Amino acid sequence: MKNINEEEGANHQKTGESFIANLKYVLVGVFFGIVFVKAEIISWFRIQEMFRLTSFHMYGVIGTAVVVATLSTLLMKKFKVKTLQGEEVIYSVRPLDKGNVIGGLLFGLGWAMTGACPGPLYGLVGSGFPVFLAAIASAIAGTYAYGLLRDKLPH
Amino acid sequence: MIDMLRHPWHWSIAGILIGLTVPILYVIGNKPFGISSSFRHVCAACIPSGAAYFSYNWRHEIWNLFFIAGIIIGGYIGATALKNPEPIKIEASTQQQLQNSGVTDFGQLVPTDIFSWQGLMTERGFILIVVGGFLVGFGTRYAGGCTSGHSITGLSNLQLSSLVATICFMAGGFLMTWLILPIILKL
């Protein structure tokens, strides 16, 4: 079966990975989940403050993350940093389309409702709010609906 | 040290750590950082469908499911071993506005009068959790990514599509917060 398309956030590694090799992504996720809870990024209230412009916190988090990620990516490109497996890193570019606008607006509406983007939805389940399993199930249903309707939607 | 870790972390620390996730994932496995694709992989793996959108080798993307398993575990650690001993601090005017809209619980990360199994059975809870979740899943796939895939990874790769998507994420959020949410909260 074919692999997922280039521009859709695909795994670009050519070498296959065993179950054990995949455990390193669990570790990165654990680290990430702890940051989510401790910086209260998963809090519905922090997202409300962001959209009500009453706190700088979330702007600070996302802004700093973008600056750090951009500088790292520029440096990696400049020094042609390879992966641990010695492969060339692939920086896939997602083309601009109408989906960025329409889908973006729809996601924005949902973000302010659940108070969580996809990462925090998982983080909330772990931190003792299992009702967010219902939100995740619903997000999977939304993704499925998109997959079925995709050809009929403007892109 | 552990005491310091228990208190809420400053935005700059969180921002740096989240930003570093991007190069870390590139280097350890040639992976672009993103989370919303996980919903698609679950569809591809679990739901038999003729839709071309879900017919791909999801096993090749399995790292993403390991990653979210880690986020759930990390969330657990953050809320237990590293639990903040104090109630969350919410900005006063936001709390006042929400109180006026009928939100009652301000002690935890989320208002549990809405975001709990009992809350799910109420009209507003059902709309915020189920309809909100649906929009998150539908919207992120339609937009081609979420806050991580577009607003962090995409912007760091200087992509125009990600800038447009991020502006629209924010626009949708403002629209909901200011115009629609007050109505839903009153239900």
Side-chain angles (χ1 to χ4, degrees):
Chain A
M1 197 177 265
K2 68 181 171 51
N3 284 335
I4 207 167
N5 287 337
E6 266 292 288
E7 67 269 17
E8 289 169 312
N11 165 21
H12 294 299
Q13 181 162 303
K14 291 174 196 80
T15 329
E17 285 171 311
S18 63
F19 181 85
I20 302 290
N22 270 304
L23 290 180
K24 60 182 178 285
Y25 304 108
V26 177
L27 272 184
V28 182
V30 168
F31 154 87
F32 203 70
I34 293 175
V35 177
F36 270 175
V37 180
K38 292 318 300 171
E40 300 179 334
I41 296 161
I42 61 171
S43 169
W44 189 82
F45 295 114
R46 293 281 168 270
I47 302 303
Q48 281 297 310
E49 290 170 352
M50 170 175 79
F51 287 127
R52 287 165 199 263
L53 302 172
T54 52
S55 159
F56 178 73
H57 187 80
M58 286 306 302
Y59 293 98
V61 171
I62 299 176
T64 310
V66 171
V67 171
V68 170
T70 307
L71 288 178
S72 321
T73 306
L74 286 174
L75 287 172
M76 283 185 64
K77 287 176 182 167
K78 183 163 161 58
F79 294 104
K80 300 196 167 54
V81 174
K82 293 224 159 69
T83 71
L84 291 182
Q85 293 76 19
E87 295 179 9
E88 223 154 280
V89 178
I90 293 172
Y91 305 94
S92 51
V93 176
R94 298 171 202 208
L96 180 68
D97 68 14
K98 293 191 191 96
N100 300 134
V101 176
I102 309 168
L105 285 170
L106 293 173
F107 164 54
L109 294 173
W111 188 13
M113 292 168 85
T114 58
C117 34
L121 285 179
Y122 294 112
L124 280 160
V125 170
S127 46
F129 301 100
V131 74
F132 283 93
L133 283 171
I136 292 172
S138 202
I140 292 169
T143 301
Y144 190 68
Y146 169 73
L148 296 183
L149 295 172
R150 191 164 192 255
D151 296 337
K152 299 189 181 73
L153 297 167
H155 277 93
Chain B
M1 178 70 190
I2 194 91
D3 207 49
M4 222 174 76
L5 288 177
R6 281 203 179 119
H7 283 92
W9 298 0
H10 193 258
W11 54 261
S12 60
I13 308 287
I16 291 168
L17 295 174
I18 293 173
L20 286 176
T21 309
V22 173
I24 289 173
L25 287 175
Y26 279 141
V27 170
I28 67 172
N30 221 343
K31 314 274 192 282
F33 167 53
I35 299 177
S36 61
S37 310
S38 62
F39 301 138
R40 182 179 176 193
H41 306 326
V42 172
C43 289
C46 303
I47 311 173
S49 147
Y53 192 65
F54 300 115
S55 307
Y56 60 89
N57 181 14
W58 58 270
R59 283 186 181 81
H60 191 64
E61 311 297 329
I62 197 97
W63 76 275
N64 204 260
L65 303 179
F66 279 80
F67 183 56
I68 61 170
I71 296 178
I72 297 173
I73 300 168
Y76 177 74
I77 297 171
T80 50
L82 299 177
K83 186 177 169 58
N84 178 11
E86 288 155 32
I88 189 168
K89 290 188 180 69
I90 303 162
E91 194 277 327
S93 68
T94 300
Q95 178 161 346
Q96 191 58 52
Q97 285 171 358
L98 290 170
Q99 228 156 14
N100 294 344
S101 296
V103 176
T104 54
D105 177 25
F106 294 93
Q108 304 181 55
L109 286 169
V110 302
T112 52
D113 48 331
I114 301 169
F115 297 97
S116 59
W117 295 117
Q118 282 107 327
L120 179 64
M121 301 303 155
T122 63
E123 256 178 313
R124 61 179 192 173
F126 184 85
I127 294 173
L128 292 185
I129 295 166
V130 176
V131 180
F134 189 91
L135 286 170
V136 168
F138 190 94
T140 49
R141 250 1 327 111
Y142 197 175
C146 60
T147 336
S148 29
H150 267 313
S151 309
I152 296 176
T153 312
L155 287 183
S156 77
N157 198 28
L158 311 175
Q159 283 170 206
L160 180 62
S161 61
S162 297
L163 182 63
V164 170
T166 302
I167 291 170
C168 293
F169 296 165
M170 295 306 293
F174 282 116
L175 191 72
M176 173 55 64
T177 302
W178 289 94
L179 298 180
I180 312 173
L181 191 67
I183 302 169
I184 300 174
L185 286 176
K186 291 264 194 221
L187 288 176

